[in-house]
Amino acid sequence: MKHTITLIPGDGIGPEITAATVRVIEATGVDITWETQILGAQALEKYGETLPEASIEAMRRNKVSLKGPIMTPIGKGFTSVNVGLRRALDLYANVRPVKALPNVPCRYPELDLVIVRENTEGLYSGLEHIVIPGVVESLKVITEKASTRIAKYAFEYARDNGRKKVTAVHKANIMKLSDGLFLECFYNQAKLFPEIEADDKIIDNTCMQLVMRPEQFDVMVMENLYGDILSDLCAGLIGGLGLAPGANIGEQGAVFEAVHGSAPDIAGQGIANPTALMLSAIEMLRYIGERDAAQRFETALFDVFKDGTSITKDLGGNAKTNEFARAIEEKIKAATSAAA
Ligand code: NAI
């Protein structure tokens, strides 16, 4: 099957890690036409705005984008490009797979779970006001529509990715109306997916359980703030944010990117670690239905980590970005010719 995907190389190390990732995707043999677009500071220079309509339109038209990190220009009046993009494309689900890599020191080498975070409302609606000096209110917005679509997404993700259970995380014992509605929508969706086990846990207990017995979780779904906190907690369980992949999914588009930023301190040196973007690209391949290519990419990447000989500087090795990519590419080619 042919695919057209928007490629946003991004800033800093972005062009280096996207080039390495595209090269490995191409080694899998998937038929992708890349349409390159720019956002952020580069777009500001060319089009006079950080989120140009031409780029947004391409992301909508192609539906799927692979994106390097973007530097939001520093100065007054520039809102975060990433937040703007989430709004423009209504990217309501933030998906963070949490899976440890071989030979990367961490607390839970066997961990394999997925966080699905609602990305558009909750306490991030920006509704804050001063009631009287010294008293402020911050409004938490939970709607039936957003809670239903995020729960539906989590169950569909579980079904499509061979996962067994979805856990809703909440504080409905205290926030009876808001989190209560979220939980009600979750269980309404659960009825439509009888093959997937559904349960729920209170957020504070979830934090303790994640630290002590994380293997009990599979897919986890939650509103915005809990998702923000738990996704970083889970990244910590497998070795930190540096290797964390992510996806922002909506009906008008899906954007796959690493969680880390543009690392200006090492940009242009050819030493950046492309692993997080590669893990995001593996999720992207699954999303577009190229499951076999995704599996071959993941196996090759994990094998390079198992060998431990072509590891980048940030993880204690001395491989350059392109040497690391070449090692993965060679594993894919070797596996392909062994199977032929
Ligand atoms: P950062 O994640 O870019 O860097 C933090 C530290 O981690 C640096 O020492 C960097 O060298 C290292 N690092 C990050 N990624 C690495 C990689 N792939 N390989 C090896 N080392 C890596 O965070 P920072 O410095 O706070 O942000 C830099 C810029 O990135 C800012 O302009 C920020 O706005 C932007 N940013 C963009 C994001 C996105 O587009 N999704 C997300 C986070 C930040």
Side-chain angles (χ1 to χ4, degrees), residues 13 67 69-71 82 257 259-266 272-273:
I13 59 169
K67 173 180 164 293
I70 303 287
M71 217 167 56
N82 293 309
E257 64 182 328
V259 168
H260 64 71
S262 59
D265 52 334
I266 57 162
N273 183 354

Side-chain angles (χ1 to χ4, degrees), residues 59-331:
M59 296 175 91
R60 274 202 197 101
R61 179 169 17 89
N62 297 327
K63 298 266 190 246
V64 179
S65 308
L66 183 65
K67 173 180 164 293
I70 303 287
M71 217 167 56
T72 297
I74 296 168
K76 273 199 170 160
F78 295 114
T79 50
S80 158
V81 171
N82 293 309
V83 172
L85 196 57
R86 264 170 233 162
R87 289 216 178 103
L89 296 175
D90 191 21
L91 302 171
Y92 66 86
N94 180 238
V95 184
R96 291 246 210 124
V98 180
K99 187 170 176 178
L101 286 153
N103 279 332
V104 174
C106 72
R107 288 180 191 278
Y108 292 104
E110 301 303 320
L111 194 60
D112 181 8
L113 59 83
V114 179
I115 303 252
V116 177
R117 165 187 171 191
E118 205 291 321
N119 231 356
T120 65
E121 53 180 32
L123 273 169
Y124 289 55
S125 307
L127 297 171
E128 287 192 315
H129 58 265
I130 298 170
V131 181
I132 50 166
V135 180
V136 295
E137 279 183 351
S138 209
L139 300 181
K140 170 162 165 165
V141 178
I142 297 287
T143 65
E144 186 179 342
K145 181 178 171 226
S147 304
T148 299
R149 72 177 176 177
I150 197 70
K152 179 169 183 265
Y153 180 83
F155 282 106
E156 284 174 352
Y157 182 96
R159 181 195 63 199
D160 297 347
N161 290 280
R163 302 253 171 196
K164 306 264 176 295
K165 184 169 87 166
V166 181
T167 303
V169 181
H170 62 92
K171 189 78 183 172
N173 53 331
I174 302 293
M175 280 166 271
K176 293 188 190 323
L177 287 181
S178 54
D179 282 16
L181 177 60
F182 183 87
L183 202 54
E184 185 186 325
C185 296
F186 170 78
Y187 278 115
N188 283 340
Q189 284 301 305
K191 286 182 205 144
L192 307 175
F193 298 85
E195 71 281 22
I196 310 283
E197 189 189 340
D199 68 357
D200 67 274
K201 268 203 173 36
I202 290 174
I203 175 76
D204 36 352
N205 182 25
T206 304
C207 290
M208 185 187 71
Q209 298 291 339
L210 272 169
V211 171
M212 297 186 73
R213 282 200 318 116
E215 66 284 355
Q216 67 187 285
F217 296 105
D218 195 350
V219 176
M220 305 171 78
V221 63
M222 61 213 75
E223 61 90 88
N224 218 333
L225 176 65
Y226 308 150
D228 197 2
I229 297 169
L230 283 198
S231 49
D232 279 23
L233 187 155
C234 287
L237 298 178
I238 58 149
L241 275 183
L243 298 171
N248 286 297
I249 314 271
E251 267 131 40
Q252 302 172 37
V255 181
F256 294 80
E257 64 182 328
V259 168
H260 64 71
S262 59
D265 52 334
I266 57 162
Q269 297 176 32
I271 57 169
N273 183 354
T275 301
L277 188 66
M278 288 183 172
L279 291 168
S280 311
I282 290 167
E283 280 294 302
M284 180 188 82
L285 290 173
R286 293 199 174 108
Y287 181 84
I288 62 173
E290 297 286 357
R291 292 181 171 274
D292 174 58
Q295 196 51 53
R296 285 184 288 125
F297 190 162
E298 187 176 89
T299 304
L301 176 70
F302 276 53
D303 284 348
V304 165
F305 272 91
K306 275 184 204 147
D307 290 353
T309 47
S310 301
I311 297 301
T312 48
K313 196 173 166 200
D314 55 312
L315 295 178
N318 51 23
K320 297 269 192 179
T321 311
N322 59 6
E323 290 165 347
F324 176 73
R326 194 186 313 132
I328 302 169
E329 208 181 337
E330 279 163 8
K331 294 261 182 218

